[in-house]
Each structure stands twice: as structure tokens, then as C-alpha cells.
């Protein structure tokens, strides 16, 4: 991968990546997370094979063992909505990659043209650059994660924050790679990098939605959460989110059912 190592899930993955890597890191939580302070630590572990013969990414411990997962608060709902939009694009991106392969092999019966698909790839890359990296991840890296460290008592060197920040950086690298591939139009590399992006982002969203956002909703004070929501709105004004979400909807209509 770009860093020379992959982050590996501790459990069997819902989705797995395609390329093996020499080393993996697993995030563990030592002791109970319920109520008291968390004691997070890193453990270097051997590659873990799934039933499909491939490995996954980093996992976070479940801090809600033995109790009900708290609901995500109203102040975090904009992030929940963005996760839903991004997930819709990810699902459609899988279909898009299938369509690219069919088109490149000349098996599409004229259903897709190469020029049109490269235009759609440009749209996907712009969505990643603006909606994902420029807006959503900025809200998390510069606002939410800082509040988690400063007001929520989350550790800076270990724990969920460095894992998620690292994955944001990896996804930004993948977006840059797709931007370059938009110019060269190398089919195999587009398929390879596009698949890596889908795999990484899907499990990343799963961690944030099932662990981080419920935990933040529970641990941060009402005043801090209100301040975060206001700062989120400021970031959202930097891009035309409505136009980007319209692209996500149109892209989903076009490629969502391909290969299903």
C-alpha cells in the first residue's frame, strides 16, 4: 500500500481488500471501556486470512459490550448523513468499476463509451476531493477529533483518533492516485486503486458509525456538541454540497445496479 503496510481487522471482514501486504497492525482495547477511562494500546500481529484468502483493515474495540449502544446525538447527524451519501457513491463505484472492465474488454454492446466513463471518473474524483476530503474529513480531523482529544479524554498517541486520521490520509493518497489515473486511463490501475478505496472507506465508515459517533454522543458535553455543530456548518459552506449530493444520486442511478 502507499505506506508499505496495511491495517488489518481483528475480525472477519464484511469486505476485504485485494492486495496482501507484509505487516499489519491491530488496535486493541485493554480492559473495559464502559464508564471509566479507556486504556488503548497497539499490537503488531501476523496477517489474518479470511475465507476469501484476503485480509482487512484496522478494527476498533467495542466499548458497548454488555450494554445498549447509545444513539447518535442530533449534533452529529450531519456526519451520519454524509456517511450515507458517501456509502451510496461507494456502492455505485463498485458498479462503475465493473462497467469500466466491460467497456475496456469491448463487451458492453455500446452501453458505455470510454469518453463518457472517463467523464464520470472525473466526477467521482471531484466528489472525493471536495465532499469527502475537503468537507467531511476536514470536519472530523480539524473539529471532531480535536474535541475528542481535548474535551473527551481520548488518548492522542493511541486509540481511535490516530487510526481514523491515518485512514483519512490513506484515502487522500488513493484519491490523488485516481486523479493521476484519470489522465493516463490505465484500466488495471483504475480497477486496483478504485477497489482499494471502496474497501478502505467502507470499513472506515463502519468504525465511525458503530463506535466513534455513539461514543462521542455519550462522552462530550452538550455545550461542546453544540459548538461542534456550529463549526461543522462553517465548513459545509466551502463547497456546493447540494450539487455534490446531486452527483451522488445521479451516479448511483447510473451504476448502482451494475454487477449486482
Amino acid at each position: 500500500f502507499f505506506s508499505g503496510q496495511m491495517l488489518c481487522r481483528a475480525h472477519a471482514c464484511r469486505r476485504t481488500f485485494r492486495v496482501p501486504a507484509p505487516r499489519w497492525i491491530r488496535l486493541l482495547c485493554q480492559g473495559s471501556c464502559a464508564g471509566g477511562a479507556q486504556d488503548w494500546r497497539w499490537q503488531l500481529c501476523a496477517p489474518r486470512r479470511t475465507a476469501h484468502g484476503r485480509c482487512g483493515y484496522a478494527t476498533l474495540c467495542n466499548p458497548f459490550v454488555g450494554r445498549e449502544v447509545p444513539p447518535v446525538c442530533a449534533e452529529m447527524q450531519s456526519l451520519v448523513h454524509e456517511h450515507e451519501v458517501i456509502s451510496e457513491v461507494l456502492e455505485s463505484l463498485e458498479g462503475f468499476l465493473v462497467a469500466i472492465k466491460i467497456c475496456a474488454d469491448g463487451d458492453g454492446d455500446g452501453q458505455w463509451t470510454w469518453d463518457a466513463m472517463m467523464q464520470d471518473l472525473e466526477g467521482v474524483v471531484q466528489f472525493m476531493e471536495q465532499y469527502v476530503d475537503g468537507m467531511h474529513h476536514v470536519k472530523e480531523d480539524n473539529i471532531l477529533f480535536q474535541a475528542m482529544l481535548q474535551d473527551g479524554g481520548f488518548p492522542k498517541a493511541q486509540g481511535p483518533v490516530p487510526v481514523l486520521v491515518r485512514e483519512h490520509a490513506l484515502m487522500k493518497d488513493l484519491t490523488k492516485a485516481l486523479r493521476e489515473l484519470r489522465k493516463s486511463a490505465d484500466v488495471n490501475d483504475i480497477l486496483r486503486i478504485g477497489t482499494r478505496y471502496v474497501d478502505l472507506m467502507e470499513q472506515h465508515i463502519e468504525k465511525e458509525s458503530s463506535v466513534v459517533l455513539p461514543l462521542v454522543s455519550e462522552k462530550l458535553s452538550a455545550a461542546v456538541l453544540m459548538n461542534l455543530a456550529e463549526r461543522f456548518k462553517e465548513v459545509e459552506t466551502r463547497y456546493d454540497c447540494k450539487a455534490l449530493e446531486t452527483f451522488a444520486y445521479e451516479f448511483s442511478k447510473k451504476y448502482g445496479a451494475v454487477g449486482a
Side-chain angles (χ1 to χ4, degrees):
F1 213 49
F2 284 96
S3 63
Q5 64 182 12
M6 296 295 285
L7 291 172
C8 159
R9 288 168 72 86
H11 310 294
C13 302
R14 179 168 59 87
R15 175 175 298 281
T16 54
F17 65 84
R18 274 64 173 169
V19 181
R23 303 178 74 191
W24 289 260
I25 293 176
R26 175 184 174 186
L27 181 66
L28 299 176
C29 179
Q30 187 176 13
S32 173
C33 295
Q38 286 109 357
D39 180 13
W40 304 85
R41 65 188 177 92
W42 289 99
Q43 176 176 311
L44 189 65
C45 62
R48 187 183 191 285
R49 291 284 179 176
T50 68
H52 302 288
R54 299 178 299 190
C55 298
Y57 294 93
T59 187
L60 300 180
C61 72
N62 181 4
F64 308 115
V65 174
R67 65 189 182 102
E68 186 177 351
V69 178
V72 177
C73 63
E75 292 80 3
M76 296 293 108
Q77 287 301 316
S78 68
L79 297 181
V80 172
H81 170 71
E82 288 156 19
H83 284 168
E84 293 171 349
V85 174
I86 295 168
S87 295
E88 186 174 21
V89 171
L90 295 177
E91 183 177 349
S92 306
L93 182 55
E94 289 186 292
F96 175 76
L97 296 175
V98 171
I100 277 190
K101 183 67 167 61
I102 293 172
C103 184
D105 291 343
D107 298 331
D109 296 326
Q111 184 178 2
W112 301 288
T113 66
W114 187 253
D115 289 343
M117 299 203 73
M118 289 300 97
Q119 290 179 2
D120 287 338
L121 178 59
E122 174 66 24
V124 170
V125 171
Q126 287 185 0
F127 178 86
M128 294 172 178
E129 291 171 339
Q130 298 178 19
Y131 195 88
V132 180
D133 294 330
M135 190 262 291
H136 180 73
H137 287 170
V138 166
K139 289 166 68 174
E140 293 177 338
D141 287 346
N142 296 353
I143 301 175
L144 175 61
F145 295 164
Q146 297 307 310
M148 290 171 65
L149 297 176
Q150 296 170 11
D151 302 299
F154 289 83
K156 184 175 182 180
Q158 298 175 330
V161 172
V163 172
L164 300 175
V165 169
R166 180 183 182 84
E167 290 183 351
H168 287 176
L170 290 174
M171 284 182 275
K172 192 170 185 178
D173 285 341
L174 290 172
T175 299
K176 290 179 180 178
L178 280 176
R179 165 64 67 190
E180 293 302 313
L181 290 172
R182 166 67 182 86
K183 302 173 185 177
S184 65
D186 186 300
V187 175
N188 290 331
D189 282 345
I190 290 173
L191 296 175
R192 178 172 56 85
I193 299 299
T195 299
R196 287 182 178 181
Y197 188 93
V198 172
D199 290 344
L200 177 57
M201 179 62 90
E202 282 191 341
Q203 60 78 38
H204 178 85
I205 288 176
E206 183 180 356
K207 288 199 288 282
E208 291 184 339
S209 298
S210 62
V211 176
V212 176
L213 294 184
L215 199 57
V216 163
S217 300
E218 181 179 65
K219 291 180 66 68
L220 297 185
S221 68
V224 170
L225 290 171
M226 288 181 62
N227 178 260
L228 294 181
E230 290 302 314
R231 295 176 65 190
F232 286 167
K233 292 177 183 178
E234 296 175 6
V235 177
E236 291 164 10
T237 62
R238 300 176 186 176
Y239 296 97
D240 188 346
C241 293
K242 184 177 180 179
L244 290 167
E245 290 181 2
T246 298
F247 165 80
Y249 173 73
E250 296 296 333
F251 187 75
S252 178
K253 283 202 307 181
K254 192 171 183 179
Y255 297 106
V258 178

